[in-house]
Amino acid sequence: MKLILKWLLSAAALLLVEQGKLNLDAPVQDYVSFPRKPWPVTMRLLLGNQAGIRHYRDNEFDSTRHYANLAQTLEIFARDPLVHEPGTKYLYSTYGFNLAGAVVEKAAGMPYDQWVRERILEPAGLATMQPDHVYRLIPRRARGYRRNSAGLIENCALADTSNKLPGGGWTATAGDLVRFARALMEGKILTQASLNLMWTPGALRDGTPTYYGLGWNVQQENGEFVAQHSGGQQGTNTHLLLLPQRRLAVAVLANLEDSGAQRLAREFVRILTRNP
């Protein structure tokens, strides 16, 4: 199943922070070739969706162009002006995660997907999770669907997701996501200090809360901390929800656009946590 993985990029970045190879508050130009803007752009701002990097425009979401590497995808938006001064607004941006992924590559000294596979996926026991490479033969890769204006199910639009590898365009099973969440909550991937940093709700410079940590939507619900993230692209709708205090994780993956994955995940959590 195809899915969005901004939380995976966050884990990959914080692992480098733990190793002293990455500074969240250093300008991205310390790591990659990227045009300088009127204000500094940092990894902390990118991972918190506060950097001002634009999101998709025109028909970019349905791109069918194949990008051979992550550096090529920066050309899509690198010379565009920032949408706002970093730290002053919240703007969800997959392209911001592209830039963050390029920084991870340089800091790690290897391709982004290789770093993720060797340092996160394999230690967590995720055997099948991988980029949704359009030309690769991937066993049991699900076909994606959507509903048309009449409500009938049809094939989803064509897309080559190589334009957004750090923020999406991967394949996995629901079991893969739960295994990742379990390894994360059990401290097998990051230290507790890194988890606390990743799951601390963000705030703009004026103090306005964003309810977004580093790669996760984070908030208190009914007195309990919740970390979660939705995903949606051609032919898929996903949601991963964690209750770290309970060591509980729920993953819902559907090969149908706008199929209510978040609602289903929250309903499963309600059932699992209700008192008998």
Side-chain angles (χ1 to χ4, degrees), residues 185-261:
M185 293 186 292
E186 292 176 352
K188 295 180 179 179
I189 298 175
L190 297 171
T191 65
Q192 187 60 50
S194 292
L195 292 178
N196 293 342
L197 176 60
M198 184 168 61
W199 289 334
T200 297
L204 303 180
R205 193 180 304 164
D206 64 3
T208 302
T210 65
Y211 304 104
Y212 198 90
L214 302 180
W216 292 84
N217 289 294
V218 289
Q219 57 271 319
Q220 292 285 332
E221 294 187 8
N222 300 318
E224 187 160 13
F225 175 76
V226 178
Q228 57 189 326
H229 212 296
S230 292
Q233 58 190 57
Q234 293 81 2
T236 188
N237 181 215
T238 66
H239 195 78
L240 177 62
L241 190 154
L242 279 62
L243 298 179
Q245 293 171 319
R246 296 178 185 259
R247 295 292 191 268
L248 175 64
V250 172
V252 175
L253 281 65
N255 60 332
L256 176 65
E257 296 174 14
D258 301 319
S259 53

Coordinates of all heavy atoms in Angstrom, one line a residue, residues 185-261:
M185 N 8.2 3.4 20.1 CA 7.8 3.6 21.5 C 8.6 2.8 22.5 O 8.7 3.2 23.7 CB 6.3 3.3 21.6 CG 5.4 4.2 20.8 SD 3.6 3.9 21.1 CE 3.4 2.3 20.2
E186 N 9.2 1.7 22.1 CA 10.1 0.9 22.9 C 11.5 1.4 23.0 O 12.4 0.8 23.6 CB 10.0 -0.5 22.5 CG 8.6 -1.2 22.7 CD 8.6 -2.6 22.2 OE1 9.5 -3.0 21.5 OE2 7.5 -3.2 22.4
G187 N 11.8 2.5 22.3 CA 13.2 3.1 22.3 C 14.2 2.3 21.5 O 15.4 2.5 21.7
K188 N 13.7 1.6 20.5 CA 14.7 0.8 19.7 C 15.2 1.6 18.5 O 16.1 1.2 17.8 CB 14.0 -0.4 19.2 CG 13.6 -1.4 20.3 CD 12.9 -2.7 19.7 CE 12.6 -3.7 20.8 NZ 11.9 -4.9 20.3
I189 N 14.6 2.8 18.3 CA 15.0 3.6 17.1 C 15.7 4.9 17.7 O 16.8 5.3 17.2 CB 13.9 3.9 16.2 CG1 13.3 2.6 15.6 CG2 14.3 4.9 15.1 CD1 12.1 2.8 14.8
L190 N 15.0 5.6 18.6 CA 15.4 6.9 19.1 C 15.4 6.9 20.6 O 14.7 6.1 21.2 CB 14.5 8.0 18.6 CG 14.4 8.3 17.1 CD1 13.3 9.3 16.8 CD2 15.8 8.8 16.6
T191 N 16.2 7.8 21.2 CA 16.2 7.9 22.7 C 14.9 8.6 23.1 O 14.2 9.2 22.3 CB 17.4 8.7 23.1 OG1 17.2 10.1 22.6 CG2 18.7 8.1 22.6
Q192 N 14.6 8.5 24.4 CA 13.4 9.2 24.9 C 13.5 10.7 24.7 O 12.5 11.3 24.5 CB 13.2 8.8 26.4 CG 11.9 9.4 27.0 CD 10.7 8.8 26.3 OE1 10.6 7.6 26.1 NE2 9.8 9.7 25.9
A193 N 14.7 11.2 24.8 CA 14.9 12.7 24.6 C 14.5 13.1 23.2 O 13.9 14.1 23.0 CB 16.4 13.1 24.9
S194 N 14.9 12.2 22.2 CA 14.5 12.5 20.8 C 13.0 12.4 20.6 O 12.4 13.2 19.9 CB 15.3 11.6 19.9 OG 16.7 11.9 19.9
L195 N 12.4 11.4 21.2 CA 11.0 11.2 21.1 C 10.3 12.4 21.7 O 9.3 12.9 21.1 CB 10.5 10.0 21.8 CG 11.0 8.6 21.2 CD1 10.5 7.5 22.1 CD2 10.5 8.5 19.8
N196 N 10.7 12.9 22.9 CA 10.1 14.1 23.5 C 10.2 15.3 22.5 O 9.3 16.1 22.4 CB 10.8 14.4 24.8 CG 10.5 13.3 25.8 OD1 9.6 12.5 25.7 ND2 11.4 13.3 26.9
L197 N 11.4 15.4 21.9 CA 11.6 16.6 21.0 C 10.7 16.4 19.8 O 10.0 17.4 19.4 CB 13.1 16.6 20.5 CG 13.4 17.6 19.5 CD1 13.2 19.0 20.0 CD2 14.9 17.5 19.1
M198 N 10.6 15.2 19.2 CA 9.7 15.0 18.0 C 8.3 15.2 18.3 O 7.5 15.7 17.5 CB 10.0 13.6 17.6 CG 9.3 13.2 16.3 SD 9.8 11.6 15.6 CE 9.4 10.5 16.9
W199 N 7.8 14.9 19.6 CA 6.4 15.0 19.9 C 6.1 16.2 20.7 O 5.0 16.3 21.3 CB 6.0 13.7 20.7 CG 6.0 12.5 19.8 CD1 5.7 12.5 18.5 CD2 6.1 11.1 20.2 NE1 5.8 11.2 18.0 CE2 6.0 10.3 19.0 CE3 6.4 10.5 21.4 CZ2 6.1 8.9 19.1 CZ3 6.5 9.1 21.5 CH2 6.3 8.3 20.3
T200 N 6.9 17.2 20.8 CA 6.6 18.4 21.5 C 5.8 19.3 20.5 O 6.3 19.6 19.4 CB 7.9 19.2 21.9 OG1 8.6 18.4 22.9 CG2 7.5 20.5 22.5
P201 N 4.6 19.8 20.8 CA 3.8 20.6 19.9 C 4.6 21.9 19.6 O 5.2 22.5 20.4 CB 2.6 20.9 20.7 CG 2.5 19.8 21.7 CD 3.9 19.4 22.1
G202 N 4.5 22.2 18.3 CA 5.2 23.4 17.8 C 4.4 24.7 18.1 O 3.2 24.6 18.4
A203 N 5.1 25.8 18.0 CA 4.4 27.1 18.1 C 5.1 28.1 17.2 O 6.3 28.0 17.0 CB 4.5 27.6 19.6
L204 N 4.3 29.0 16.7 CA 4.9 30.1 15.9 C 5.6 31.1 16.8 O 5.6 31.0 18.0 CB 3.8 30.8 15.1 CG 2.9 29.9 14.2 CD1 1.9 30.7 13.5 CD2 3.8 29.2 13.2
R205 N 6.3 32.0 16.1 CA 7.1 33.0 16.9 C 6.3 33.8 17.8 O 6.8 34.2 18.9 CB 7.9 33.9 15.9 CG 9.0 34.7 16.5 CD 9.6 35.6 15.4 NE 10.1 34.7 14.3 CZ 10.5 35.2 13.1 NH1 10.3 36.5 12.9 NH2 10.9 34.4 12.2
D206 N 5.0 34.0 17.5 CA 4.2 34.8 18.4 C 3.5 34.0 19.4 O 2.6 34.5 20.2 CB 3.1 35.6 17.6 CG 2.2 34.7 16.8 OD1 2.3 33.4 17.0 OD2 1.3 35.2 16.1
G207 N 3.8 32.7 19.5 CA 3.3 31.8 20.5 C 2.0 31.0 20.1 O 1.6 30.2 20.8
T208 N 1.5 31.3 18.9 CA 0.4 30.5 18.4 C 0.7 29.1 18.2 O 1.7 28.7 17.5 CB -0.1 31.1 17.0 OG1 -0.4 32.5 17.2 CG2 -1.3 30.3 16.5
P209 N 0.0 28.1 18.8 CA 0.3 26.7 18.7 C 0.0 26.2 17.3 O -1.0 26.6 16.6 CB -0.6 26.1 19.7 CG -1.8 27.0 19.9 CD -1.2 28.4 19.7
T210 N 0.8 25.3 16.8 CA 0.6 24.6 15.5 C 0.0 23.2 15.6 O -0.5 22.7 14.6 CB 1.9 24.6 14.7 OG1 2.8 23.7 15.3 CG2 2.5 25.9 14.5
Y211 N 0.1 22.6 16.8 CA -0.3 21.3 17.0 C 0.4 20.3 16.1 O -0.1 19.2 15.8 CB -1.8 21.1 16.9 CG -2.6 22.1 17.8 CD1 -3.2 23.2 17.3 CD2 -2.6 21.8 19.2 CE1 -3.9 24.1 18.1 CE2 -3.3 22.7 20.0 CZ -3.9 23.8 19.5 OH -4.6 24.7 20.3
Y212 N 1.6 20.7 15.7 CA 2.5 19.8 14.9 C 3.9 19.8 15.5 O 4.4 20.9 15.7 CB 2.5 20.4 13.4 CG 2.9 19.4 12.4 CD1 2.0 18.5 11.8 CD2 4.3 19.2 12.1 CE1 2.4 17.6 10.8 CE2 4.7 18.3 11.1 CZ 3.8 17.5 10.5 OH 4.2 16.6 9.5
G213 N 4.4 18.7 15.8 CA 5.7 18.6 16.3 C 6.7 18.5 15.2 O 6.8 19.4 14.3
L214 N 7.6 17.5 15.1 CA 8.5 17.3 14.0 C 8.1 16.1 13.3 O 8.4 14.9 13.6 CB 9.9 17.2 14.6 CG 10.5 18.3 15.4 CD1 11.9 18.0 15.9 CD2 10.4 19.6 14.6
G215 N 7.3 16.3 12.2 CA 6.8 15.2 11.4 C 5.5 14.5 11.9 O 5.1 13.5 11.3
W216 N 4.9 15.0 13.0 CA 3.7 14.4 13.6 C 2.7 15.5 14.0 O 3.1 16.5 14.5 CB 4.1 13.6 14.9 CG 4.9 12.4 14.7 CD1 6.3 12.3 14.6 CD2 4.4 11.1 14.6 NE1 6.7 11.0 14.4 CE2 5.6 10.2 14.4 CE3 3.2 10.5 14.6 CZ2 5.5 8.8 14.3 CZ3 3.1 9.1 14.5 CH2 4.2 8.3 14.4
N217 N 1.4 15.2 13.8 CA 0.4 16.0 14.5 C 0.3 15.5 15.9 O 0.2 14.3 16.2 CB -0.9 15.7 13.8 CG -1.0 16.3 12.4 OD1 -1.0 17.6 12.3 ND2 -1.1 15.5 11.4
V218 N 0.4 16.4 16.9 CA 0.5 16.1 18.3 C -0.5 16.9 19.1 O -0.6 18.1 18.8 CB 1.9 16.2 18.8 CG1 2.8 15.1 18.3 CG2 2.5 17.6 18.5
Q219 N -1.2 16.3 20.0 CA -2.2 17.0 20.8 C -2.6 16.2 22.0 O -2.4 14.9 22.0 CB -3.4 17.5 20.0 CG -4.2 16.3 19.3 CD -3.6 16.0 18.0 OE1 -3.3 16.9 17.2 NE2 -3.5 14.8 17.6
Q220 N -3.3 16.8 22.9 CA -3.9 16.1 24.0 C -5.4 15.8 23.7 O -6.0 16.8 23.3 CB -3.8 16.9 25.3 CG -2.4 17.0 25.9 CD -1.9 15.8 26.5 OE1 -2.6 15.0 27.1 NE2 -0.6 15.6 26.6
E221 N -5.8 14.6 23.8 CA -7.2 14.3 23.6 C -7.8 13.5 24.8 O -7.2 12.4 25.1 CB -7.4 13.5 22.3 CG -7.0 14.3 21.0 CD -7.3 13.6 19.8 OE1 -8.0 12.5 19.8 OE2 -6.9 14.0 18.7
N222 N -8.8 14.1 25.4 CA -9.4 13.4 26.6 C -8.3 13.1 27.6 O -8.3 12.1 28.3 CB -10.1 12.1 26.2 CG -11.2 12.3 25.2 OD1 -12.0 13.3 25.3 ND2 -11.3 11.5 24.2
G223 N -7.4 14.1 27.8 CA -6.4 14.0 28.8 C -5.2 13.0 28.5 O -4.4 12.7 29.3
E224 N -5.2 12.6 27.2 CA -4.1 11.6 26.8 C -3.4 12.1 25.6 O -4.0 12.7 24.7 CB -4.7 10.2 26.5 CG -3.7 9.2 26.3 CD -4.3 7.8 26.5 OE1 -5.5 7.7 26.6 OE2 -3.5 6.8 26.5
F225 N -2.1 12.0 25.6 CA -1.2 12.4 24.5 C -1.4 11.5 23.3 O -1.4 10.3 23.4 CB 0.2 12.5 24.9 CG 1.1 12.8 23.7 CD1 1.2 14.1 23.3 CD2 1.9 11.9 23.1 CE1 2.1 14.5 22.2 CE2 2.7 12.2 22.0 CZ 2.8 13.5 21.6
V226 N -1.6 12.2 22.1 CA -1.8 11.4 20.8 C -0.8 12.0 19.8 O -0.7 13.2 19.6 CB -3.2 11.6 20.3 CG1 -3.4 10.8 19.0 CG2 -4.2 11.0 21.3
A227 N -0.1 11.1 19.1 CA 0.7 11.4 18.0 C 0.2 10.7 16.8 O -0.1 9.5 16.8 CB 2.2 11.0 18.2
Q228 N 0.0 11.4 15.7 CA -0.7 10.8 14.5 C -0.3 11.5 13.2 O 0.2 12.6 13.3 CB -2.2 10.7 14.7 CG -2.8 12.1 14.9 CD -4.3 12.0 15.3 OE1 -5.0 11.1 14.8 NE2 -4.8 12.9 16.1
H229 N -0.6 10.9 12.1 CA -0.4 11.5 10.8 C -1.3 10.8 9.8 O -1.3 9.6 9.7 CB 1.0 11.5 10.4 CG 1.4 12.7 9.6 ND1 0.9 13.0 8.3 CD2 2.2 13.8 9.8 CE1 1.4 14.1 7.9 NE2 2.2 14.6 8.8
S230 N -1.9 11.6 8.9 CA -2.7 11.1 7.8 C -1.8 11.1 6.6 O -0.8 11.8 6.5 CB -4.0 11.9 7.6 OG -4.9 11.7 8.7
G231 N -2.3 10.4 5.6 CA -1.6 10.4 4.3 C -2.6 10.2 3.2 O -3.6 9.4 3.3
G232 N -2.5 10.9 2.0 CA -3.3 10.7 0.9 C -2.6 11.0 -0.4 O -2.0 12.1 -0.5
Q233 N -2.7 10.2 -1.4 CA -2.2 10.4 -2.7 C -3.0 9.6 -3.6 O -4.0 9.0 -3.3 CB -0.7 10.1 -2.8 CG -0.3 8.7 -2.4 CD 1.2 8.5 -2.3 OE1 1.8 9.2 -1.5 NE2 1.7 7.6 -3.1
Q234 N -2.6 9.5 -4.9 CA -3.4 8.8 -5.9 C -3.6 7.4 -5.4 O -2.7 6.6 -5.2 CB -2.6 8.8 -7.2 CG -2.5 10.2 -7.9 CD -1.4 11.0 -7.3 OE1 -0.6 10.6 -6.4 NE2 -1.3 12.2 -7.8
G235 N -4.9 7.0 -5.3 CA -5.2 5.6 -5.0 C -5.0 5.1 -3.6 O -5.0 3.9 -3.3
T236 N -4.8 6.0 -2.6 CA -4.6 5.6 -1.3 C -5.0 6.6 -0.2 O -5.1 7.8 -0.5 CB -3.1 5.3 -1.1 OG1 -2.9 4.7 0.2 CG2 -2.2 6.5 -1.2
N237 N -5.3 6.1 1.0 CA -5.7 6.9 2.1 C -5.2 6.2 3.4 O -5.6 5.0 3.6 CB -7.2 7.1 2.1 CG -7.7 8.0 3.3 OD1 -8.7 7.8 3.8 ND2 -6.9 9.0 3.7
T238 N -4.4 6.8 4.2 CA -3.8 6.1 5.3 C -3.8 7.0 6.6 O -3.9 8.2 6.5 CB -2.3 5.7 5.0 OG1 -1.5 6.9 4.9 CG2 -2.2 4.9 3.7
H239 N -3.6 6.3 7.7 CA -3.5 7.0 9.0 C -2.8 6.1 10.0 O -3.1 4.9 10.1 CB -4.9 7.4 9.5 CG -4.9 8.4 10.6 ND1 -4.7 9.7 10.4 CD2 -4.9 8.3 12.0 CE1 -4.7 10.4 11.5 NE2 -4.8 9.5 12.5
L240 N -1.9 6.7 10.7 CA -1.1 6.1 11.8 C -1.3 6.9 13.0 O -1.1 8.1 13.1 CB 0.4 6.0 11.4 CG 1.3 5.4 12.5 CD1 0.9 3.9 12.8 CD2 2.7 5.5 12.1
L241 N -1.8 6.2 14.1 CA -2.2 6.9 15.3 C -1.5 6.1 16.5 O -1.6 4.9 16.6 CB -3.7 6.9 15.5 CG -4.3 7.7 16.7 CD1 -5.7 8.2 16.3 CD2 -4.2 7.0 18.0
L242 N -0.8 6.9 17.4 CA -0.1 6.3 18.5 C -0.6 6.9 19.8 O -0.8 8.1 19.9 CB 1.4 6.6 18.4 CG 2.3 5.8 17.5 CD1 1.9 5.8 16.1 CD2 3.8 6.2 17.7
L243 N -0.7 6.1 20.8 CA -0.9 6.5 22.2 C 0.3 6.0 23.0 O 0.3 4.9 23.5 CB -2.2 5.9 22.8 CG -3.5 6.3 22.1 CD1 -4.7 5.6 22.8 CD2 -3.8 7.8 22.1
P244 N 1.4 6.8 23.0 CA 2.6 6.3 23.6 C 2.5 5.9 25.0 O 3.2 4.9 25.5 CB 3.5 7.5 23.4 CG 3.0 8.3 22.3 CD 1.5 8.1 22.4
Q245 N 1.7 6.5 25.8 CA 1.5 6.1 27.2 C 1.0 4.7 27.4 O 1.3 4.1 28.4 CB 0.7 7.2 28.0 CG 1.3 8.5 28.1 CD 0.4 9.6 28.6 OE1 -0.8 9.6 28.2 NE2 0.9 10.5 29.5
R246 N 0.2 4.3 26.4 CA -0.4 3.0 26.5 C 0.4 2.0 25.6 O 0.1 0.8 25.6 CB -1.8 3.0 25.9 CG -2.8 3.8 26.8 CD -4.2 3.8 26.1 NE -5.2 4.6 26.7 CZ -6.1 4.2 27.6 NH1 -6.2 2.9 27.8 NH2 -7.0 5.0 28.1
R247 N 1.4 2.4 24.9 CA 2.2 1.6 24.0 C 1.2 1.0 22.9 O 1.3 -0.1 22.6 CB 2.9 0.5 24.7 CG 4.1 1.0 25.6 CD 5.2 1.6 24.7 NE 6.4 1.9 25.5 CZ 6.7 3.0 26.1 NH1 5.8 4.0 26.1 NH2 7.8 3.1 26.8
L248 N 0.3 1.9 22.5 CA -0.8 1.4 21.5 C -0.6 2.1 20.2 O -0.4 3.4 20.2 CB -2.2 1.7 22.1 CG -3.4 1.4 21.2 CD1 -3.4 -0.1 20.9 CD2 -4.7 1.9 21.8
A249 N -0.7 1.4 19.1 CA -0.6 2.0 17.8 C -1.6 1.3 16.9 O -1.8 0.1 16.9 CB 0.8 1.8 17.2
V250 N -2.3 2.2 16.1 CA -3.2 1.7 15.1 C -2.9 2.2 13.7 O -2.7 3.5 13.6 CB -4.7 2.1 15.5 CG1 -5.7 1.8 14.4 CG2 -5.1 1.4 16.8
A251 N -2.8 1.4 12.7 CA -2.5 1.8 11.4 C -3.7 1.4 10.5 O -4.1 0.2 10.5 CB -1.2 1.2 10.9
V252 N -4.2 2.3 9.7 CA -5.2 2.0 8.7 C -4.7 2.4 7.3 O -4.3 3.5 7.1 CB -6.5 2.7 9.0 CG1 -7.6 2.5 7.9 CG2 -7.1 2.3 10.4
L253 N -4.7 1.4 6.4 CA -4.3 1.7 5.0 C -5.4 1.2 4.1 O -5.9 0.1 4.2 CB -3.0 0.9 4.7 CG -1.6 1.5 5.2 CD1 -1.6 1.5 6.7 CD2 -0.5 0.7 4.6
A254 N -5.8 2.1 3.2 CA -6.8 1.8 2.2 C -6.4 2.1 0.8 O -5.8 3.2 0.6 CB -8.1 2.5 2.6
N255 N -6.7 1.3 -0.2 CA -6.3 1.6 -1.5 C -7.5 2.3 -2.3 O -7.8 2.0 -3.4 CB -5.9 0.3 -2.3 CG -6.9 -0.7 -2.3 OD1 -7.8 -0.8 -1.5 ND2 -6.9 -1.6 -3.4
L256 N -8.1 3.2 -1.6 CA -9.2 4.0 -2.1 C -9.0 5.5 -1.6 O -9.0 5.6 -0.3 CB -10.5 3.5 -1.7 CG -11.8 4.3 -2.1 CD1 -11.9 4.3 -3.7 CD2 -13.0 3.7 -1.5
E257 N -9.0 6.4 -2.4 CA -8.8 7.8 -2.0 C -10.0 8.3 -1.1 O -11.2 7.9 -1.4 CB -8.7 8.7 -3.3 CG -7.5 8.4 -4.1 CD -7.5 9.2 -5.4 OE1 -8.3 10.2 -5.5 OE2 -6.7 8.9 -6.3
D258 N -9.7 9.1 -0.2 CA -10.7 9.7 0.7 C -11.7 8.7 1.3 O -12.9 8.9 1.3 CB -11.5 10.8 -0.1 CG -10.7 11.9 -0.7 OD1 -9.8 12.3 0.1 OD2 -10.9 12.3 -1.8
S259 N -11.1 7.6 1.8 CA -11.9 6.5 2.3 C -12.1 6.5 3.8 O -12.6 5.6 4.4 CB -11.3 5.1 1.9 OG -9.9 5.1 2.3
G260 N -11.7 7.6 4.5 CA -11.9 7.7 5.9 C -11.0 7.0 6.8 O -11.4 6.5 7.9
A261 N -9.7 6.9 6.4 CA -8.7 6.1 7.2 C -8.6 6.7 8.6 O -8.5 6.0 9.6 CB -7.4 6.1 6.5

